[in-house]
Amino acid sequence: MNPDPTTTIEAEPYPFAFQPAACALLIIDMQRDFLEPGGFGEMLGNDVSQLRRTIGPNRRLLAAWRAAGLQVLHTREGHRPDLTDLPPAKRVRGRAKSCIGDPGPMGRILVRGEAGHDIIPELYPLPTEPVIDKPGKGAFFATDLHAILQNRGITQLIVTGVTTEVCVNTTVREANDRGYDCLVPADCVGSYFPEFQEMGLKMIKAQGGIFGWVCDSANVLAVLN
Ligand code: TIU
């Protein structure tokens, strides 16, 4: 079902003027290594339950979005198997025992083609949905995302995924500078740190929506159903 082209989505700091044909759902880094118990994220001491609560809301939003026939893109953070696209600074940052490219619980950590790098089965992309493999935190850096969105006439993004203050915030800021309007459903983004979840969302919607809008996914579902 196609929503009314003039419809608005209730959001903060003010309603989002939703243009379905020009709006894509961009799901950031819902990868096994970040979300699954026993993965790289948990290995680093993080509480993956903080991210796993986003799976249900993302599933419901993705199902409704697909049913409405709207565009979906997915991203994965990771690197080439030969690590030629991995900045040495990123590899050694954190001084962890295991670095990107090392053997991890689900294959080599954040390396493309490894099990842990792939998207969780609950949100697995359809063959028709572009998957953007990105070497950085932002989805626009060193990827063809901007070209794909421009070719498809996309000017608005609903951004979901993990983590709120890292890859979601970086992507929203990159999108903002490239002229996209971004709406972030709070229950569809997650952080290992509750205080960063709260502030990461406040930073987006502050100052009259300096980077975009924030809502609950129920408000998006309300205009899709
Ligand atoms: N996808 C994403 O946010 N990557 C990260 O590295 N997140 C962390 O919080 N570490």
Side-chain angles (χ1 to χ4, degrees):
M1 173 194 151
N2 267 344
D4 178 341
T6 62
T7 199
T8 59
I9 298 173
E10 281 310 312
E12 291 182 321
Y14 57 89
F16 182 81
F18 180 44
Q19 299 172 275
C23 187
L25 175 61
L26 180 64
I27 306 178
I28 304 291
D29 298 1
M30 292 293 280
Q31 292 162 258
R32 297 184 61 193
D33 251 335
F34 291 129
L35 284 128
E36 291 194 352
F40 177 53
E42 191 175 75
M43 198 180 88
L44 293 177
N46 294 305
D47 173 13
V48 294
S49 69
Q50 294 290 339
L51 305 194
R52 294 192 65 78
R53 61 162 187 77
T54 69
I55 297 173
N58 266 293
R59 281 191 76 161
R60 288 187 284 279
L61 180 59
L62 179 59
W65 199 262
R66 283 172 173 164
L70 305 181
Q71 301 194 54
V72 184
L73 299 94
H74 306 255
T75 72
R76 297 184 293 204
E77 179 178 354
H79 296 275
R80 295 169 180 259
D82 64 5
L83 305 182
T84 48
D85 61 351
L86 175 62
K90 181 176 178 182
R91 196 181 72 82
V92 300
R93 184 85 44 78
R95 298 177 171 177
K97 270 210 181 83
S98 297
C99 303
I100 293 170
D102 289 348
M106 288 187 278
R108 292 178 67 203
I109 295 163
L110 292 189
V111 169
R112 294 174 195 161
E114 302 288 340
H117 169 263
D118 209 356
I119 292 172
I120 57 170
E122 296 93 327
L123 296 170
Y124 210 75
L126 295 177
T128 51
E129 296 169 354
V131 177
I132 308 294
D133 278 319
K134 62 185 184 66
K137 304 306 182 195
F140 289 85
F141 171 69
T143 73
D144 52 8
L145 175 61
H146 189 45
I148 292 173
L149 296 175
Q150 286 186 313
N151 293 341
R152 295 181 161 203
I154 298 296
T155 61
Q156 303 183 330
L157 297 170
I158 308 262
V159 186
T160 74
V162 299
T163 63
T164 308
E165 78 281 14
V166 184
C167 295
V168 172
N169 243 277
T170 305
T171 297
V172 166
R173 289 164 189 236
E174 287 183 331
N176 187 72
D177 280 345
R178 287 164 178 79
Y180 297 91
D181 281 328
C182 294
L183 172 62
V184 180
D187 53 327
C188 292
V189 295
S191 169
Y192 297 121
F193 310 99
E195 66 272 33
F196 291 167
Q197 170 76 4
E198 183 191 348
M199 290 304 163
L201 291 168
K202 279 189 176 166
M203 284 179 191
I204 291 167
K205 68 183 178 185
Q207 301 182 67
I210 191 117
F211 296 122
W213 288 258
V214 174
C215 70
D216 191 276
S217 64
N219 301 6
V220 184
L221 294 175
V223 304
L224 294 175
N225 295 330

